[in-house]
Amino acid sequence: MTKGLDFIRPAKLGAFVLALAAAGCDDGGGSGEDARWVAAWATSMMEPGAEIGELKSRSFSDETLRQTITVTASGDRVRLRLSNLFGSQPLELAEVRVAKEQEPLVTAPDSDRQVHFAGRPGATIPAAAELLSDEVDLEVSEGERLIVSIYAAKPSALATWHPLSLTSHEVAKGNQAANQRLTDSSALSSAFWLAGVDVESATNDRVVVAFGDSITDGSSSTIDGSRSYPDRLFARLQEDPQTRSVALVNHGLGGNRLLRDSIGPSGLSRFERDVLGTPGVTHAIVLIGINDIGMPGFVGPSEQVTADELIDGLETLADTAKANGVKMFVGTIMPFEAAFPPYYTIEGEEIRQDVNAWIRDNEAYDGVIDFEAAVRDPEHPPGSSPRSTAAITCTPTTPAIRRWPTRCPWRCSSSELVDMSLRACRQGQAVHGRRRSVRSQVRVRARAYARANDERSIGR
């Protein structure tokens, strides 16, 4: 290992996490002497290889990768976190640069900075490791967009990546990292190697991590539209002077499950790195579990889960976070009745209802965010409206949400369900009725849905 470089490996995360969690409990400062490193942008990384829809992992050789991110903290210096966590061989990067954005994928004049690693312009990141850069003098503000350019001179292995970045990136041949605009570039919509951007801030006193699956990741929302629920929550926080100092990062991962590795590491296995390993973390919002319920319909009964297993997993996240001084909020699992079979099943709906009943009454978390209450049709309990085309990902930003009936109580983004002070929340206030009655409704509606689906299939 090269002397002076700050590598982070999963096996050594314990002390690193404890230090960051302790820092996250401190009050924010007002003077430069109180400045501390906080996460300003982050994304969850996963192993390459699998194709996810039209998204494909890839390698790079004599190419410049240019990626755009939006920071949620302000300060005078930044640092980058680069990931070869799922790489099969050491990753050699010849040059890395960071700049402010003037226009999409075009750097602002006089803002371009070369990024160093232990004083050198390039670095080699071992397999299964991440690397923090040296500090870079660059003043940034909340909501500002930055451009990170990475030049890989030598052929890489398949790159550690985040498939669904919902942000336009690009790649071009040769070393164009210092160019204001790349020439002969090709578009990319996945993120590679760049796992986080931190800011040394004297004003950002709280950091919220949104942790979950595709709903948190922003699946089905507009590319470059900043319309995922964490994006909208950040916008709401910025509107209130009392919460403008709250930074927020998105650690959603499309297709992710809480209990099992599938598309990316399980929520249980990545929680320490992605949440507790977030610099300055003080709060986390957990919204995960629907894929644990639905995916066994595709992969087989051996991976079916019970409500008790999901509840145990959610409790484990809460206990782990609280032991490290992080306040935890948990979201109810949204309706998925309109999802295509075999993702949706009668038994899966019963599990969802049981887990939600526990979530609404639980004492493990500091608070509950009732996402289900925000999106369900009160005239169609317990699932979503039959006229809705919102399928697996019942995100508030899908075009399907806009087509829901006017009686649906969707009048605002899900971010409005979060208490803006992050000191209180809606806990135990939802009316969920008797479980036996709910299960009866579930079976009746699911059977009707199945019959309707069979009739449509026969009519084709």
Side-chain angles (χ1 to χ4, degrees), residues 358-372:
W358 174 84
I359 286 173
R360 291 184 174 111
D361 286 336
N362 89 92
E363 297 181 356
Y365 284 78
D366 295 288
V368 174
I369 304 168
D370 203 343
F371 287 93
E372 186 204 45

Side-chain angles (χ1 to χ4, degrees), residues 39-43 66-73 78-81 97-101 105 138 140-149 165-169 190-199 224 226 231 249:
W41 176 88
T43 195
R66 176 160 286 185
Q67 301 176 93
T68 304
I69 61 100
T70 301
V71 295
T72 62
V78 302
R79 66 184 184 191
L80 310 184
R81 183 187 303 271
R97 306 186 75 91
V98 62
K100 294 185 179 185
E101 181 189 70
L105 296 169
L138 182 66
V140 297
S141 301
E142 295 95 341
E144 198 161 25
R145 290 169 67 88
L146 302 183
I147 291 175
V148 176
S149 301
S165 76
L166 292 172
T167 306
S168 296
H169 310 302
S190 298
F192 300 89
W193 294 326
L194 182 62
V197 176
D198 304 333
V199 171
D224 296 322
S226 299
D231 289 328
V249 297

